[in-house]
Amino acid sequence: MTRTPSIGVLIRALEELARIQRESSSRLARELGCARASLPLLRLLHDGGPQHLGDVAAQLRVDLSVASRHVTALVDTGYVHRAVDDGDRRARQIALTPTGKALLDRCDERMSELTEQTFADWSDEDLHTVAHAIDRVTTAITKSASLLATAP
């Protein structure tokens, strides 16, 4: 398959975006005093409520053992807690604690400050246009990843 120049430009742009996102989220996590991997998990629990470990792993798109290590670290720091699932006494649900919610609130506040500073000279129209394009890219990559996961 021949790669068009536009595809190469897109690949390089996505790689650079991924790098700067990793660097930025690492700096933010250090500033907040937590692990970089903690923030998406806290967001997931905040937005979706208590979850089973398998659901957390699936939504974060990581292996169960990876999700388990992250959850254990968050339990140890008091950001989340495990509780027996009333519907299935053998299962445990993971839920955000008030301390975890406070950390996430600080993260949201700092992210808003940084984003406003970064894009201060962009118009609302530009921001909506870029957000729409990023949503389209995310949808396309998610669909492609789903196809790869179901391929024989």
Side-chain angles (χ1 to χ4, degrees):
M1 172 186 245
T2 305
R3 188 168 78 175
T4 66
S6 298
I7 293 297
V9 169
L10 176 60
I11 290 168
R12 284 188 297 283
L14 290 172
E15 289 171 343
E16 186 59 26
L17 178 61
R19 274 192 294 276
I20 194 64
Q21 283 182 298
R22 261 190 323 277
E23 290 171 16
S24 297
S25 61
S26 291
R27 280 193 301 267
L28 178 61
R30 276 193 307 276
E31 182 181 319
L32 296 171
C34 68
R36 180 174 62 92
S38 299
L39 300 175
L41 202 156
L42 294 175
R43 169 76 52 219
L44 176 68
L45 294 174
H46 177 267
D47 294 348
Q51 314 248 341
H52 291 113
L53 183 61
D55 296 331
V56 167
Q59 291 180 65
L60 293 176
R61 295 180 175 98
V62 297
D63 187 74
L64 194 59
S65 64
V66 172
S68 180
R69 281 193 304 273
H70 291 309
V71 167
T72 298
L74 289 172
V75 167
D76 291 346
T77 58
Y79 295 136
V80 303
H81 73 276
R82 290 186 187 106
V84 173
D85 182 347
D86 291 334
D88 180 354
R89 306 289 301 162
R90 298 167 299 166
R92 300 282 180 268
Q93 284 198 325
I94 302 140
L96 195 61
T97 64
T99 304
K101 171 78 168 77
L103 174 65
L104 197 54
D105 289 345
R106 287 196 327 269
C107 176
D108 288 347
E109 184 178 310
R110 188 66 178 126
M111 282 292 293
S112 292
E113 290 171 3
L114 292 169
T115 303
E116 285 191 27
Q117 291 169 7
T118 301
F119 298 101
D121 60 343
W122 289 42
S123 71
D124 283 347
E125 183 180 339
D126 288 342
L127 293 172
H128 284 284
T129 299
V130 169
H132 177 71
I134 291 171
D135 285 343
R136 286 185 63 203
V137 168
T138 301
T139 299
I141 292 172
T142 300
K143 182 179 177 183
S144 178
S146 296
L147 292 174
L148 287 173
T150 60

